[in-house]
Amino acid sequence: MPVSPLGVGSLGYLSLKEQSCIGVQKEQSCTGVQKEQSRTGVQKEQSRTGVQKEQSRTGVQKEQSPTGLQKEQSPTGVQKEQSRTGVQKEQSRTGVQKEQSRTGVQKEQSRTGVQKEQSRTGVQKEQSRTGVQKEQSPTGLQKEQSPTGLQKEQSRTGVQKEQSPTGVQKEQSRTGVQKEQSRTGVQKEQSRTGVQKEQSPTGVQKEQSPTGVQKEQSPTGVQKEQSPTGVQKEQSPTGVQKEQSRTGVQKEQSCIGV
C-alpha cells in the first residue's frame, strides 16, 4: 500500500496521506483530524475531540459527537437530530418541526405557528397561533378552548358542552335537548319538541310549551298557568283554585268546594 511522505496538506500544515489499491484515500493531520474518501464518493472525517462527520455522494451529511448526539441533513434541506436520550428532532425546508421523545410523545410545529402533540396514550393536542387549543382523546372526547376563555367539549355520544368566561354553561345532547346554566344559578332547558323550562336558585320553576301555555311553580307550592287565550289559573298548596278569563271573569274554589 503506497504511503506518501509527510508533506504540506490542504490544511496548510504537515499531514500524512495514504491511498489503497481499491481507491480509498486517507489523510491525518498533525492536529489529529482524520479524513477518508472511498471510491464511491463517501467522505468521512473525525476530529481529535471525537466528532465524526460523513457525507455521501447523494449529498446526505451525517455527524455524531462523543456525547451521542447524531445529526443528519439531506440535500432537500431536511434536518434530523437524535440525542443519546432518544429524543428525535426533524425540520423540513418548509419550516415544519417534528420531535419525538423516548416516551412516545410526538410534537409538531408548522411555520404558521400551529403546534400539535400526541402522547403514547393517543391524546392529541393542537394549538393555533391565535391561541385556540384543541384536544382529542382516544375515547373520542373533543375539547376546545379559545383565548377568550370559551371552553367547548363534545363526547363520542354527541353531547356538546360549552362554558363561557362569564360562567354560562350550555349543553346539548344528540336528542336535541338544550340546557343552560348561568353563574347566578338560573337553569334553562329546551327539548326538541320546543318545551322550554327554567328554574332559578330561589326554586321558581317556569315552563312554556310551543302552544304558548305558560306554567310557573314557586317553592311555596303555588302553581300558575296561563294559556294563549288569556285564561289564567292559580292553585295554592291549600287547594284553593283561582281562574280569570280574558274578559275579566274571576272564579275561585276552595278545597271544601265553596
Side-chain angles (χ1 to χ4, degrees):
M1 180 181 296
V3 178
S4 66
L6 287 177
V8 179
S10 60
L11 297 178
Y13 41 80
L14 294 178
S15 63
L16 181 66
K17 296 182 180 179
E18 177 184 315
Q19 179 167 338
S20 70
C21 55
I22 59 173
V24 178
Q25 295 174 335
K26 296 182 181 180
E27 181 180 317
Q28 179 168 333
S29 70
C30 56
T31 60
V33 178
Q34 295 174 335
K35 296 182 179 181
E36 181 181 312
Q37 180 167 331
S38 68
R39 192 161 29 187
T40 60
V42 178
Q43 296 173 334
K44 298 181 181 180
E45 182 180 310
Q46 179 168 328
S47 69
R48 185 182 285 172
T49 59
V51 178
Q52 295 173 334
K53 296 181 181 180
E54 182 180 311
Q55 179 168 329
S56 68
R57 185 185 285 172
T58 60
V60 178
Q61 296 173 332
K62 297 181 181 180
E63 182 179 311
Q64 180 167 329
S65 68
T67 60
L69 182 64
Q70 295 173 333
K71 296 181 181 181
E72 182 180 310
Q73 180 168 330
S74 68
T76 60
V78 178
Q79 295 173 333
K80 297 181 181 180
E81 183 179 305
Q82 179 168 328
S83 68
R84 184 183 284 171
T85 59
V87 177
Q88 295 174 333
K89 297 181 181 180
E90 182 180 310
Q91 180 169 329
S92 68
R93 185 183 285 172
T94 59
V96 178
Q97 295 173 332
K98 297 181 181 179
E99 182 179 311
Q100 179 169 329
S101 68
R102 187 183 286 173
T103 60
V105 178
Q106 295 173 333
K107 296 181 181 179
E108 183 179 310
Q109 179 169 329
S110 68
R111 187 184 287 172
T112 60
V114 178
Q115 296 174 333
K116 297 180 180 180
E117 182 179 310
Q118 179 169 328
S119 68
R120 186 182 285 172
T121 59
V123 177
Q124 296 174 331
K125 297 181 182 179
E126 183 179 311
Q127 179 168 330
S128 68
R129 185 183 285 172
T130 59
V132 178
Q133 296 173 331
K134 297 180 180 179
E135 182 179 312
Q136 179 167 331
S137 68
T139 60
L141 181 64
Q142 295 174 331
K143 296 181 181 179
E144 183 179 310
Q145 180 168 330
S146 68
T148 60
L150 182 64
Q151 295 173 331
K152 296 181 181 179
E153 182 179 307
Q154 178 169 329
S155 68
R156 185 183 283 172
T157 59
V159 178
Q160 295 174 332
K161 296 181 182 179
E162 183 179 307
Q163 179 167 330
S164 69
T166 59
V168 178
Q169 296 173 332
K170 296 181 181 180
E171 182 179 311
Q172 179 169 330
S173 68
R174 189 183 287 172
T175 59
V177 178
Q178 295 174 332
K179 297 181 181 179
E180 182 179 310
Q181 179 168 329
S182 68
R183 186 181 283 172
T184 59
V186 178
Q187 296 173 332
K188 296 180 182 180
E189 183 179 311
Q190 179 169 329
S191 68
R192 186 184 284 172
T193 59
V195 178
Q196 296 173 332
K197 296 181 182 180
E198 183 179 309
Q199 179 168 329
S200 68
T202 59
V204 178
Q205 296 174 332
K206 296 180 182 180
E207 182 180 309
Q208 179 169 328
S209 67
T211 59
V213 178
Q214 295 173 333
K215 297 180 181 180
E216 182 179 309
Q217 179 169 328
S218 68
T220 60
V222 178
Q223 295 173 333
K224 296 180 181 180
E225 182 180 309
Q226 180 170 328
S227 68
T229 60
V231 178
Q232 295 174 334
K233 296 180 181 180
E234 182 179 310
Q235 179 169 329
S236 68
T238 59
V240 179
Q241 295 174 333
K242 296 180 182 180
E243 183 179 310
Q244 180 171 326
S245 67
R246 184 182 286 173
T247 59
V249 178
Q250 295 176 334
K251 297 179 182 180
E252 183 176 317
Q253 178 173 329
S254 68
C255 57
I256 57 176
V258 179

